[in-house]
Amino acid sequence: MLKEQKIYDYDDQEVKERITNDLISAFKGVYDPEIPVDIYELGLIYKVDINDEGHVEVTMTLTAPACPAAEIIPQQVEEAALTVDGVNSATAIITFDPPWTKDNMSDEAKLILNMF
């Protein structure tokens, strides 16, 4: 997905840090419709890269290969990334290597789901 491009110094550590923090906040607004925990706390985000043109590539997984929200969640991740100032385009790439396990979840997510 694309939006109006803004030019930033993506090598500047402060810019990278701000964008990273804003991306995390944006991803925390995306939920698996079957689980009352956001995808970031579920541990579905494996890697986020941003290039010099402001393109963000998100490598992520789903809780299961047959996840009924497999088409919706990546689109929502891309849309969330585009809300961040400095992100000009975004692509979500799904992988199942390594497969997701409950060990990926944050302590907060485990507490909410009573999985301790």
Side-chain angles (χ1 to χ4, degrees):
M1 299 183 103
L2 296 170
K3 69 178 187 180
E4 181 182 333
Q5 292 201 351
K6 295 184 179 180
I7 298 173
Y8 290 88
D9 179 1
Y10 295 98
D11 290 325
D12 182 305
Q13 192 58 38
E14 286 183 24
V15 170
K16 279 185 175 180
E17 196 170 307
R18 189 218 19 104
I19 291 173
T20 299
N21 291 334
D22 290 352
L23 284 167
I24 290 169
S25 294
F27 296 150
K28 286 185 173 197
V30 178
Y31 287 77
D32 182 314
E34 296 180 335
I35 304 171
V37 177
D38 69 77
I39 62 162
Y40 186 81
E41 297 298 335
L42 279 174
L44 299 182
I45 304 294
Y46 284 170
K47 182 178 175 185
V48 178
D49 288 318
I50 186 164
N51 70 16
D52 291 342
E53 287 80 41
H55 176 75
V56 169
E57 186 173 280
V58 181
T59 304
M60 61 177 292
T61 194
L62 301 169
T63 55
C67 176
E71 292 181 26
I72 297 167
I73 293 175
Q75 180 181 357
Q76 291 176 334
V77 167
E78 291 172 356
E79 290 169 359
L82 288 172
T83 67
V84 173
D85 189 33
V87 174
N88 296 318
S89 60
T91 304
I93 299 168
I94 300 294
T95 185
F96 293 101
D97 184 26
W100 180 87
T101 69
K102 66 180 185 175
D103 294 334
N104 293 37
M105 294 190 304
S106 69
D107 288 343
E108 178 182 325
K110 290 176 185 175
L111 184 63
I112 292 168
L113 297 174
N114 199 25
M115 296 183 83
F116 273 105

